[in-house]
Amino acid sequence: MKTITQKELGIRISELRKSKGYSQDELAKLLEMSRPSLTQIELGNRNLSVIELKKIADNLSVSIDKLLSKDFQIETINIPSNDDNFKEELRISIPKLKVDKFKDILLYILEKCAGKPNVGETLLYKLLYFSDFNYYEIYEEHLTGAEYRKLPFGPVPQKIDSIINQMIEDKMIARFKTEYHGYPQTRYIPLIKPNLKNLIASEKDVIDKVIDQYSDWSASAISDYSHKDMPWLASKEGEVIDYELAFYREYPYS
DNA sequence: GCTGACCTCCGTAAACTCGG
DNA sequence: CCGAGTTTACGGAGGTCAGC
């Protein structure tokens, strides 16, 4: 088995950091280490303790497994082509990310949560998660089709970094860093209006309910709450959360 | 067990490079 | 010039090991 080198690990960390829009300085602060130390790690000149590795993985929203895996790659979005719709019709449908819908829903949530200082990146992910899973539970169809991975800070939509970066490039949203109750917070503001024509009534309804219910919660409160949700509970850390698990939910999640 | 020489690892500060 | 990242120099902390 080929193990990854220190240098490769450093490059991965560096790439992940950039994809999340952090400078070395910012990430170093989150990791509670000096900036040159992080520089050394990214250059592969400095060894990592397991504790540090865990911290890095957490802060970059990946699992340690993935960070060290042989076939690691930064997730990119492939624009779905229309000619592969015919192979649906499976009873258990495989989620397929609908990028445009995902962007619209993201814009919609950001617009509705404008002025709510608690809605940072973490809460945003959770609003997306509940929207997706609630919708699937009710209608047995995928809303955005995004896959969510179980990570220590909560469910994280896969490929979100590249979608967000694309939206920033396209001037659809802007990212800025701030502080909330003494903790660094990443926030996004919508620069354009969501295209509501892309959302049917039932979809909008589910999203609205999620926003009404959770958007005023603190990140830690919704964290505790979501960590008792069946799909979350039944998944292993680092793995993709199965949509089918939404059907095993109990009150008050169901 | 203690001590001193030596070594490695890591953090800090400052200088430097490079691109906008 | 400024900001981000890199390099360099220095020093502290801690481990190892021979010699006592």
Side-chain angles (χ1 to χ4, degrees):
Chain A
M1 180 183 122
K2 185 178 174 288
T3 51
I4 91 159
T5 64
Q6 230 181 81
K7 197 154 196 159
E8 281 166 350
L9 177 60
I11 292 167
R12 291 179 183 186
I13 292 170
S14 170
E15 285 176 351
L16 278 169
R17 174 176 60 75
K18 286 169 195 157
S19 79
K20 289 196 84 68
Y22 291 136
S23 68
Q24 276 192 341
D25 200 39
E26 286 163 339
L27 182 58
K29 280 200 178 79
L30 292 172
L31 301 175
E32 296 171 298
M33 64 170 60
S34 70
R35 188 181 51 75
S37 290
L38 181 57
T39 305
Q40 297 308 315
I41 289 169
E42 291 188 357
L43 294 172
N45 296 335
R46 174 181 173 309
N47 250 322
L48 279 168
S49 71
V50 179
I51 306 292
E52 286 172 331
L53 191 61
K54 168 77 175 144
K55 248 186 182 172
I56 290 173
D58 286 357
N59 280 288
L60 295 178
S61 304
V62 286
S63 61
I64 292 182
D65 262 8
K66 201 165 166 223
L67 198 56
L68 297 178
S69 75
K70 221 164 42 174
D71 53 352
F72 170 90
Q73 53 178 3
I74 297 265
E75 306 210 307
T76 51
I77 34 174
N78 42 341
I79 307 303
S81 52
N82 293 325
D83 59 327
D84 54 16
N85 289 335
F86 65 94
K87 61 183 176 188
E88 290 306 312
E89 291 304 316
L90 293 167
R91 202 185 69 81
I92 295 176
S93 61
I94 297 154
K96 201 174 67 190
L97 179 62
K98 301 165 206 159
V99 178
D100 289 337
K101 182 157 260 176
F102 189 91
K103 288 180 178 175
D104 270 323
I105 290 172
L106 193 69
L107 281 173
Y108 183 64
I109 293 176
L110 287 175
E111 187 182 75
K112 281 201 81 169
C113 296
K116 294 186 177 182
N118 58 321
V119 182
E121 199 170 45
T122 314
L123 205 66
L124 180 63
Y125 289 175
K126 299 212 161 84
L127 295 177
L128 287 165
Y129 164 79
F130 278 116
S131 298
D132 260 326
F133 275 72
N134 290 1
Y135 190 83
Y136 191 73
E137 185 189 355
I138 299 168
Y139 298 104
E140 298 188 34
E141 277 178 24
H142 292 294
L143 178 58
T144 71
E147 289 189 328
Y148 292 82
R149 204 173 280 272
K150 175 172 175 169
L151 291 171
F153 292 173
V156 176
Q158 295 305 97
K159 305 180 181 180
I160 181 119
D161 288 339
S162 54
I163 294 178
I164 283 183
N165 286 333
Q166 202 178 72
M167 290 175 78
I168 292 173
E169 247 176 64
D170 295 342
K171 304 259 189 282
M172 296 167 85
I173 55 172
R175 165 161 51 202
F176 69 101
K177 307 277 176 42
T178 178
E179 273 201 3
Y180 187 63
H181 289 315
Y183 292 100
Q185 185 196 45
T186 302
R187 293 180 60 88
Y188 299 98
I189 41 175
L191 300 177
I192 60 167
K193 294 255 166 207
N195 187 353
L196 291 177
K197 288 188 202 108
N198 292 342
L199 294 183
I200 59 175
S202 61
E203 295 172 342
K204 190 168 168 297
D205 201 45
V206 170
I207 300 166
D208 282 340
K209 282 213 178 82
V210 167
I211 294 174
D212 285 345
Q213 192 173 353
Y214 305 118
S215 68
D216 291 321
W217 289 29
S218 73
S220 62
I222 197 173
S223 251
D224 289 345
Y225 182 80
S226 70
H227 288 16
K228 293 188 184 89
D229 189 26
M230 189 54 77
W232 170 270
L233 276 177
S235 304
K236 275 192 260 175
E237 183 159 326
E239 288 185 354
V240 171
I241 303 172
D242 189 346
Y243 272 93
E244 301 302 313
L245 293 169
F247 300 131
Y248 297 92
R249 279 174 158 173
E250 291 162 5
Y251 178 83
Y253 300 91
S254 186

